[in-house]
Amino acid sequence: AQSVSQHNHHVILSEAASLELGCNYSYGGTVNLFWYVQYPGQHLQLLLKYFSGDPLVKGIKGFEAEFIKSKFSFNLRKPSVQWSDTAEYFCAVKRRLTGGGNKLTFGTGTQLKVEL
Amino acid sequence: GAGVSQSPRYKVAKRGQDVALRCDPISGHVSLFWYQQALGQGPEFLTYFQNEAQLDKSGLPSDRFFAERPEGSVSTLKIQRTQQEDSAVYLCASSLKRTGADEAFFGQGTRLTVV
């Protein structure tokens, strides 16, 4: 089955530590890839996206992700996390719908807690 | 409003009751999506509208689920004869383009609890 896998379900880091969250997908062909973040009590927000071009994508708040086609991966990174990065992070792949349009297929999410 | 608005934020339903969940997308957004997010899971696609046309409903889990967007703006997700397994957060998202290939903006969701 086509899927998106996030291997780390819960991550706890100290402030200033480096972050890498894994994401693998099982689709072939062209994919559009996204990372969304959900801060406590808030709605899902787009962190960054990859459609084409440079496989290293920079997003908001110092986050970046690297698309590695050969590994079917789109890992999220941040060199130095802050307490305010505590949130749940979702990787997603956009796929075409048969009748037209596109949908997002999400991973199960990674809950990140940053401790002071 | 500036974002996607969903109401109610919380809904408790007795098993067997019908519920209706409302989504107000961002004005002018052509594409509208409904997702279901169970506890500890990522959002799962339910259905997609392009204006008033429901182009895909492949994710609706049963014929008890019905969605509409009659005038191409506000959408309603209706669940008939609710069951405990319907308990989840229901998310609505909208995007500007016809294809829905651009960024999707999400509402805060409606948390449905079936007791």
Side-chain angles (χ1 to χ4, degrees):
Chain A
Q2 299 173 335
S3 68
V4 178
S5 299
Q6 291 181 244
H7 309 296
N8 315 101
H9 297 294
H10 292 89
V11 174
I12 302 174
L13 295 173
S14 298
E15 265 206 328
S18 64
L19 170 72
E20 180 160 3
L21 301 183
C23 174
N24 288 89
Y25 60 93
S26 62
Y27 303 98
T30 303
V31 290
N32 299 147
L33 297 157
F34 302 78
W35 276 96
Y36 277 84
V37 61
Q38 188 167 26
Y39 297 103
Q42 296 189 27
H43 58 276
L44 279 166
Q45 301 173 43
L46 182 67
L47 260 184
L48 47 79
K49 61 187 177 184
Y50 172 79
F51 276 26
S52 63
D54 188 344
L56 185 61
V57 179
K58 295 195 183 296
I60 60 171
K61 303 186 179 184
F63 286 90
E64 64 178 32
E66 185 175 12
F67 170 55
I68 303 179
K69 188 175 181 179
S70 62
K71 294 185 178 180
F72 295 88
S73 70
F74 190 55
N75 292 353
L76 181 70
R77 300 194 293 247
K78 185 170 183 179
S80 176
V81 294
Q82 300 174 306
W83 178 80
S84 58
D85 293 326
T86 295
E88 190 156 20
Y89 293 81
F90 293 93
C91 180
V93 173
K94 183 154 280 186
R95 296 290 293 174
R96 290 188 184 279
L97 292 166
T98 305
N102 296 267
K103 70 172 184 179
L104 289 168
T105 297
F106 287 86
T108 53
T110 297
Q111 186 70 53
L112 171 66
K113 182 179 179 181
V114 180
E115 296 179 331
L116 295 170
Chain B
V4 178
S5 178
Q6 292 187 246
S7 60
R9 288 290 312 280
Y10 303 92
K11 176 69 179 178
V12 178
K14 291 184 178 179
R15 192 159 56 102
Q17 186 179 354
D18 297 349
V19 298
L21 312 179
R22 177 187 170 104
C23 172
D24 282 86
I26 294 172
S27 179
H29 277 199
V30 171
S31 295
L32 185 144
F33 308 82
W34 283 98
Y35 289 83
Q36 179 191 57
Q37 186 174 14
L39 191 62
Q41 301 296 316
E44 297 269 354
F45 171 80
L46 293 178
T47 187
Y48 166 65
F49 289 86
Q50 189 181 98
N51 294 310
E52 70 281 359
Q54 187 176 21
L55 296 191
D56 194 293
K57 52 182 181 179
S58 61
L60 295 177
S62 78
D63 59 7
R64 296 184 295 103
F65 286 71
F66 171 76
E68 60 183 5
R69 193 186 185 197
E71 297 178 358
S73 55
V74 172
S75 177
T76 304
L77 177 66
K78 297 179 179 178
I79 309 173
Q80 297 177 324
R81 305 181 303 282
T82 52
Q83 303 294 316
Q84 283 194 316
E85 61 263 28
D86 301 335
S87 295
V89 176
Y90 290 85
L91 298 171
C92 178
S94 69
S95 65
L96 180 61
K97 293 184 179 178
R98 183 173 300 275
T99 61
D102 54 330
E103 177 183 351
F105 294 84
F106 283 81
Q108 289 192 286
T110 294
R111 182 178 296 277
L112 172 66
T113 304
V114 181
V115 298

